[in-house]
Amino acid sequence: MAKEILQIENINATDFKNEIVKDVTQALKGYATTLQNPDNEILLTREETAKMLSVSLVTLWDWTKKDIIPAYRIGNKVRYKKAEVLTALQQMNKFVSK
């Protein structure tokens, strides 16, 4: 494993500390934004998704092929975003009002 060396010149300790605090604060703000809605990025397996929807794997596959529920292929695995599954479920359960 190669070591990285950082050499800092012509900066005082206070300015260096302020730069670090500023960058860490920006990074944490970005991270906090993703944490506000943590379900958005949770990936579910086919089995977890089918269980959550109380359907068989065959039904889930059929809905995936019909683009009712979006799926993502990661290598040879299929995953579903939890938020998108819940949205699709809401769409399926809407009653058409006349």
Side-chain angles (χ1 to χ4, degrees):
M1 178 180 248
K3 291 184 180 181
E4 292 185 29
I5 298 174
L6 174 64
Q7 185 173 353
I8 301 170
E9 298 178 15
N10 297 326
I11 189 169
N12 65 38
T14 302
D15 290 341
F16 180 62
K17 178 192 78 153
N18 290 339
E19 284 296 314
I20 291 174
V21 169
K22 182 181 81 172
D23 289 343
V24 169
T25 302
Q26 286 176 341
L28 289 175
K29 283 181 183 177
Y31 186 66
T33 302
T34 59
L35 289 179
Q36 288 174 354
N37 197 356
D39 284 346
N40 273 350
E41 297 303 318
I42 292 176
L43 293 176
L44 303 172
T45 64
R46 293 178 62 240
E47 291 79 9
E48 291 169 333
T49 305
K51 184 176 180 181
M52 185 174 84
L53 297 173
S54 298
V55 298
S56 70
L57 289 173
V58 174
T59 301
L60 179 61
W61 180 246
D62 185 53
W63 289 351
T64 302
K65 288 193 313 187
K66 292 178 179 175
D67 289 327
I68 295 171
I69 298 179
Y72 300 89
R73 188 168 295 279
I74 302 173
N76 62 348
K77 296 176 168 75
V78 176
R79 296 289 184 258
Y80 298 86
K81 287 186 181 178
K82 185 175 181 180
E84 292 178 352
V85 171
L86 294 174
T87 300
L89 182 62
Q90 289 174 348
Q91 292 294 326
M92 286 189 287
N93 287 327
K94 280 188 179 178
F95 292 108
V96 179
S97 59
K98 294 182 180 183

